[in-house]
Amino acid sequence: RNSRESQIPACLQLQKSDVEKMLAAQVHIGTKNCDARMASYVFGRRPDGIHVIDMDKTWQKIVLAARMIAAIENPADIAVVCSRPYGQRATLKFCRYIGATAIAGRYVPGTFTNRINPHFMEPRMIICNDSREDKQAVLESAYANIPVVAFADTDSPLKYVDVAVPTTT
């Protein structure tokens, strides 16, 4: 047992069932391209050129993101952004369960920076489904000094992302 594992509570340790679920969901399958900032999360490369994500590092980042979410007193101060159609249902469900604010569908520019915008909000944290698709929200969060947790594939840009959870998007 290494020192990093001893710092994580037993309930948050990576279990066999967690690995099986992540394998079934294929969270470890990346893309053929790899961004330089994502290289540390890559376990290896398959013969067909697809990068394989290290699931241990994915789990560590999930635990870190969970701790960040738990540190926010009011869950409504968390904005979850998803512009991709296939992630919107999961975003809405996640927000319903934890009480966060969902921004599913088109992101209105100025939501985090323009006070005269009718959609203006000042969240304490942003979770985004894909840093490439939700780049406007990520950029505005940098202007407003809002931390960003983003699910990131091997080719995702990580500029202005504070915590990247390596997984397939």
Side-chain angles (χ1 to χ4, degrees), residues 2-154:
N2 62 30
S3 63
R4 185 176 50 210
E5 286 181 354
S6 63
Q7 294 173 352
I8 299 175
C11 62
L12 296 178
Q13 295 288 338
L14 183 61
Q15 304 294 323
K16 182 180 177 188
S17 62
D18 298 323
V19 173
E20 291 170 354
K21 290 174 187 172
M22 290 195 310
L23 284 172
Q26 297 184 350
V27 300
H28 64 292
I29 305 297
T31 61
K32 287 190 176 185
N33 298 325
C34 184
D35 187 82
R37 293 181 180 161
M38 286 297 294
S40 62
Y41 302 115
V42 173
F43 178 76
R45 196 170 190 172
R46 297 190 323 198
D48 62 354
I50 300 290
H51 289 90
V52 178
I53 298 170
D54 187 347
M55 290 195 309
D56 185 49
K57 292 182 180 180
T58 298
W59 185 258
Q60 291 171 14
K61 291 296 184 160
I62 288 172
V63 170
L64 177 61
R67 287 181 172 193
M68 289 176 65
I69 292 168
I72 306 290
E73 298 87 21
N74 182 6
D77 288 340
I78 300 171
V80 184
V81 181
C82 179
S83 59
R84 287 190 163 186
Y86 63 80
Q88 291 175 10
R89 182 170 177 245
T91 298
L92 294 171
K93 277 187 161 186
F94 176 75
C95 290
R96 186 180 70 205
Y97 289 130
I98 72 162
T101 305
I103 304 175
R106 183 179 180 274
Y107 175 80
V108 178
T111 299
F112 302 141
T113 55
N114 186 356
R115 293 188 180 276
I116 62 171
N117 185 337
H119 300 284
F120 178 74
M121 61 187 328
E122 291 180 293
R124 293 194 52 211
M125 183 169 79
I126 295 169
I127 302 171
C128 77
N129 181 33
D130 185 5
S131 60
R132 176 175 287 114
E133 293 294 320
D134 302 319
K135 64 183 173 189
Q136 182 67 32
V138 173
L139 178 66
E140 287 186 20
S141 68
Y143 292 151
N145 200 22
I146 302 168
V148 176
V149 175
F151 293 100
D153 212 333
T154 56

